[in-house]
């Protein structure tokens, strides 16, 4: 069974909730999932195989910074710049359009993984928490993500 690693960048929990919903939907679609509420760089690197798929759910905080749970992971990724040619991925960026740095962390994650050689399965999704229905928007996107696997 194909496993999807779900990496979560959250500070106040909205994105954790969203990731849980997506995990349930993936399981209903016949996939196994591993939720990483505080992604550990070493663990994820060691477990990489040519079957690895990451679904990154990334909220922006600060001035476009990664939300707390993924700050360390993002720093390690930028520092070590691992070769990720085996990896396939998709990114959901969570933010609020009242900030100039709308969805900046999710955009960075999407760009960084591609720069490191990973295969982008689908254009990243941006969720504007001030306007969008996150469940509806992410569910629709997830169907395309699943089809791209
Ligand atoms: C202090 C603070 C800073 C924020 N900075 C940004 C930002 O730079 N860009 C953005 O798109 N959203 C920003 N947001 C909005 C959050 O991304 C949004 O509230 C999101 O739902 C938080 O997700 P979380 O509950 O998973 O942490 C910020 C929110 C707070 C409270």
């Amino acid at each position: 069974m194909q496993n999807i690693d779900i990496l979560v960048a959250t500070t106040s929990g909205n994105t954790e909730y969203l990731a849980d919903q997506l995990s349930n939907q993936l399981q209903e679609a016949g996939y196994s999932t591993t939720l990483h509420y505080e992604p550990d760089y070493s663990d994820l690197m060691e477990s990489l195989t040519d079957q690895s798929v990451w679904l990154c759910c990334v909220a922006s905080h600060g001035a476009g910074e990664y939300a707390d749970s993924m700050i360390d992971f993002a720093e390690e990724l930028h520092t070590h710049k691992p070769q990720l040619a085996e990896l396939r991925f998709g990114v959901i960026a969570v933010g609020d359009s009242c900030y100039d740095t709308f969805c900046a962390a999710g955009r960075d994650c999407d760009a960084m993984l591609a720069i490191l050689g990973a295969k982008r399965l689908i254009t990243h999704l941006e969720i504007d928490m001030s306007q969008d229905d996150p469940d509806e928007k992410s569910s629709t996107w997830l169907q395309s993500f699943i089809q791209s696997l």
Side-chain angles (χ1 to χ4, degrees):
M1 184 188 290
Q2 171 74 55
N3 184 66
I4 315 289
D5 288 295
I6 304 177
L7 285 65
V8 184
T10 185
T11 295
S12 48
N14 293 333
T15 309
E16 182 176 332
Y17 172 81
L18 191 68
D20 286 343
Q21 305 305 309
L22 296 171
S23 174
N24 291 338
Q25 289 168 36
L26 282 165
Q27 288 178 15
E28 282 163 15
Y31 297 90
S32 66
T33 57
T34 308
L35 278 154
H36 301 267
Y37 295 119
E38 286 192 43
D40 183 283
Y41 179 82
S42 301
D43 284 355
L44 278 157
M45 287 306 136
E46 280 165 23
S47 63
L48 264 185
T49 71
D50 60 5
Q51 294 300 306
S52 293
V53 176
W54 291 1
L55 171 56
C56 302
C57 302
V58 181
S60 297
H61 273 266
E65 304 300 324
Y66 282 76
D68 289 355
S69 67
M70 207 164 148
I71 288 177
D72 290 349
F73 179 89
E75 275 179 13
E76 300 239 44
L77 205 61
H78 279 265
T79 302
H80 298 299
K81 297 185 173 54
Q83 181 51 239
L84 297 178
E86 293 179 304
L87 177 68
R88 293 175 291 154
F89 74 96
V91 173
I92 295 179
V94 176
D96 187 323
S97 59
C98 74
Y99 292 88
D100 290 343
T101 48
F102 176 57
C103 283
R107 290 177 188 175
D108 176 83
C109 181
D110 182 67
M112 195 64 195
L113 293 177
I115 287 167
L116 296 173
K119 183 180 179 216
R120 182 186 289 114
L121 287 167
I122 175 175
T123 303
H124 77 282
L125 174 69
E126 296 186 351
I127 296 180
D128 181 353
M129 293 303 268
S130 67
Q131 293 192 17
D132 297 330
D133 177 337
D135 289 346
E136 189 184 318
K137 206 167 172 182
S138 62
S139 295
T140 303
W141 181 90
L142 192 72
Q143 296 314 310
S144 302
F145 177 78
I146 288 170
Q147 283 169 17
S148 73
L149 286 167

